[in-house]
Amino acid sequence: MPLTGIEIYKHLPKTNCKECSFPTCLAFAMKVAQKAVPITQCPYLSPEARAALEAAARPPIHLVTIGADKRKIEVGNEVVMFRHEKTFYHPPGIVVRLKDTTPVEELKRRAQEIASYQVERVGMKLGLDGLALENASGDPSALARALEAVDGQGDLPLVLMAGPGALAQVLEKVAPRRPLLYAATRDNWEAMAELALKYKCPLAVAEPSGLEALAGQVEKISQKGVEDIVLDPGARDFASSLVTLTQIRRLALKKNFRPLGHPVITFPGEGAKDQEEEALLAAQQVAKYAGVIVLDRFSPSLAYPLLALRLNIYTDPQKPIQVQPGVYQLGAPKEASPLCVTTNFSLTYFSIAGELESSGFPSWLLVCDTEGLSVLTAWAAGKFDAARIAKTVKEFKAGETVSHHSLILPGKVAVLKGELEEELPGWQVLVGPPEAMDIGGFLKQHWKN
Ligand code: SF4
């Protein structure tokens, strides 16, 4: 929980010397609480007060980075339990587990398949985030061979699942990629903590016997100096995952309980009997509250819905995804091709654009600035009315783009037809279908050019 102005004031010298450029210490404390100025702007803080304030200002869930360069996974640093309270910031990394018992050529093929998997949704390219490589053989040299096999396949961030002996043999080479080391247990935690410190890698802490024991384990490892910690509380099935991950999040955010203020790693494949159950459990964990999700199975039909769900949950609800207003070409339209109009909410744009592209009618699509609202919502909010559509037609010179001066209006706002024809003398307004999926049939039936 962030500190209040009064709590910050208690740590200040209370001399009102004004050197921080505020008239009183209290005024300064209030600004610090609003995050308008840094606490370091007071030069008279004692080292103890400064340490206490900096510790209190740390995010309740520690930000952990796995990987380096562009394809890193950043998880944690969340501030609310529920997305509707504000927003979620760092989507869980979704990685796929491979085992070093798999033949090398097959490992290469699967790593390549996972690294290259990509789908486009609302104009964004979505893909998986990493690989988990498990030393299932128990043979350190098999882990090294497997690492070589997956090396260069997209350089995805790694989760290395092995004991300290096997990790010690590969970390010299792979540490610059900053893999997550999985996992410190009650038996090996000292050796794992030493490796994490030596190679500056994040460390997962696994303790399935309860949150109290997990917190104790984390405290011991933190005291050794390891900061970047990921938790594995051992919850594997639907019910225990939901309960345990919610408890951890609640303790971190509501009680500011530091030992559990770390992202959580989950293994939905271990709690599921088949691919469908694994997908469902992973979906639950995307929503509540995994930091890294390790899938045991990979297929596009499992990955795509998870990536779309994650995108939805981690999109700021206060900032709809938008496309730029303007006239878009779909296919290779000519001046006699249909001209449709829609809003600049991404999902709306890509729905109608996709349908037009597959309709067999190369088309023009005029996009109005509705501040990212969909058709009906924008109309209800007064942001998709006749005046605004007419203004957009003129602004982007749609009349010079098409020869026919016919504009196809979304059927859901048919009520605008008359007013729009008054705003656009010389134009004919056609009322299209209410749903984007019906635009192809509409054009076949009504478009004569
Ligand atoms: S510089 Fe520090 S002591 Fe002086 S008024 Fe500001 S907060 Fe108070």
Side-chain angles (χ1 to χ4, degrees):
M1 297 286 284
L3 289 179
T4 64
I6 297 297
E7 285 165 335
I8 294 167
Y9 175 69
K10 286 178 189 162
H11 292 276
L12 297 179
K14 306 180 190 67
T15 57
N16 300 334
C17 71
K18 302 185 178 57
E19 279 193 43
C20 56
S21 78
F22 289 90
T24 62
C25 294
L26 184 59
F28 174 68
M30 293 301 172
K31 285 292 171 191
V32 173
Q34 292 165 11
K35 302 198 186 311
V37 291
I39 191 69
T40 48
Q41 204 161 308
C42 170
Y44 299 112
L45 273 181
S46 68
E48 299 75 33
R50 186 172 174 156
L53 287 169
E54 283 177 350
R58 282 209 315 265
I61 301 178
H62 189 72
L63 181 69
V64 174
T65 303
I66 302 163
D69 304 325
K70 287 184 192 152
R71 293 201 79 162
K72 61 191 173 194
I73 302 171
E74 288 187 324
V75 287
N77 215 1
E78 299 298 330
V79 295
V80 291
M81 282 296 295
F82 306 109
R83 177 176 172 267
H84 62 257
E85 291 176 272
K86 194 173 182 186
T87 186
F88 291 172
Y89 292 100
H90 293 104
I94 301 178
V95 308
V96 182
R97 169 159 41 183
L98 301 175
K99 298 184 179 179
D100 66 359
T101 45
T102 306
V104 165
E105 285 308 313
E106 175 64 7
L107 265 182
K108 272 188 195 169
R109 189 196 65 74
R110 293 184 65 193
Q112 214 277 328
E113 182 186 26
I114 293 159
S116 61
Y117 174 72
Q118 200 170 62
V119 286
E120 191 170 327
R121 184 176 166 80
V122 292
M124 295 181 188
K125 296 206 174 359
L126 309 179
L128 295 161
D129 304 292
L131 296 172
L133 199 52
E134 183 179 352
N135 184 213
S137 66
D139 173 5
S141 58
L143 180 66
R145 275 196 301 279
L147 258 174
E148 259 178 48
V150 304
D151 199 25
Q153 308 296 339
D155 286 336
L156 289 172
L158 293 169
V159 179
L160 293 181
M161 304 176 67
L167 287 174
Q169 295 200 20
V170 298
L171 275 172
E172 201 66 55
K173 190 169 173 206
V174 81
R177 289 176 65 182
R178 208 178 144 75
L180 172 65
L181 311 183
Y182 180 94
T185 64
R186 63 176 64 184
D187 299 324
N188 70 12
W189 68 271
E190 283 178 295
M192 292 293 282
E194 277 168 25
L195 285 173
L197 281 174
K198 180 176 176 187
Y199 292 103
K200 300 185 173 53
C201 292
L203 177 63
V205 180
E207 176 51 67
S209 66
L211 293 186
E212 207 173 319
L214 177 61
Q217 200 66 18
V218 169
E219 279 190 309
K220 283 193 289 188
I221 290 170
S222 299
Q223 280 161 12
K224 281 257 179 193
V226 180
E227 290 184 348
D228 291 343
I229 288 172
V230 172
L231 309 174
D232 177 7
R236 292 295 185 263
D237 62 28
F238 283 84
S240 67
S241 173
L242 182 62
V243 169
T244 308
L245 270 63
T246 303
Q247 279 179 336
I248 289 174
R249 177 97 156 194
R250 197 169 278 283
L251 284 165
L253 290 178
K254 303 291 183 193
K255 304 289 180 192
N256 207 16
F257 185 55
R258 294 286 178 190
L260 296 183
H262 301 275
V264 179
I265 188 168
T266 63
F267 298 86
E270 293 182 11
K273 65 178 184 306
D274 54 30
Q275 176 167 309
E276 284 69 33
E277 260 197 25
E278 182 174 7
L280 284 172
L281 185 46
Q284 174 185 292
Q285 291 164 348
V286 166
K288 291 178 182 292
Y289 292 105
V292 180
I293 297 171
V294 182
L295 298 176
D296 278 328
R297 303 163 179 92
F298 165 72
S299 76
S301 62
L302 185 152
Y304 180 57
L306 281 180
L307 294 172
L309 173 72
R310 183 178 70 170
L311 177 67
N312 290 346
I313 290 176
Y314 283 82
T315 298
D316 187 341
Q318 297 158 91
K319 293 184 197 154
I321 311 172
Q322 305 179 25
V323 295
Q324 288 296 319
V327 182
Y328 289 76
Q329 296 184 34
L330 301 165
K334 301 194 167 54
E335 56 180 20
S337 299
L339 172 67
C340 299
V341 62
T342 192
T343 73
N344 74 329
F345 177 44
S346 276
L347 207 53
T348 301
Y349 168 82
F350 283 101
S351 299
I352 183 73
E355 294 296 337
L356 283 171
E357 275 172 338
S358 58
S359 70
F361 287 84
S363 303
W364 305 96
L365 183 56
L366 178 67
V367 173
C368 278
D369 182 2
T370 57
E371 298 168 32
L373 298 181
S374 60
V375 170
L376 264 187
T377 313
W379 172 73
K383 297 181 192 301
F384 192 52
D385 54 18
R388 193 176 290 222
I389 296 171
K391 184 167 169 270
T392 310
V393 167
K394 290 168 193 163
E395 182 182 349
F396 294 102
K397 299 186 170 51
E400 295 171 25
T401 306
V402 293
S403 56
H404 46 71
H405 287 193
S406 295
L407 183 63
I408 301 171
L409 195 63
K412 283 187 173 150
V413 288
V415 68
L416 295 178
K417 175 179 161 61
E419 207 183 328
L420 188 53
E421 284 179 338
E422 279 177 27
E423 293 274 352
L424 290 172
W427 281 77
Q428 180 193 16
V429 176
L430 304 175
V431 176
E435 302 298 336
M437 61 192 272
D438 297 321
I439 190 70
F442 172 86
L443 291 173
K444 276 190 193 91
Q445 212 178 338
H446 297 281
W447 195 257
K448 303 299 177 200
N449 288 330

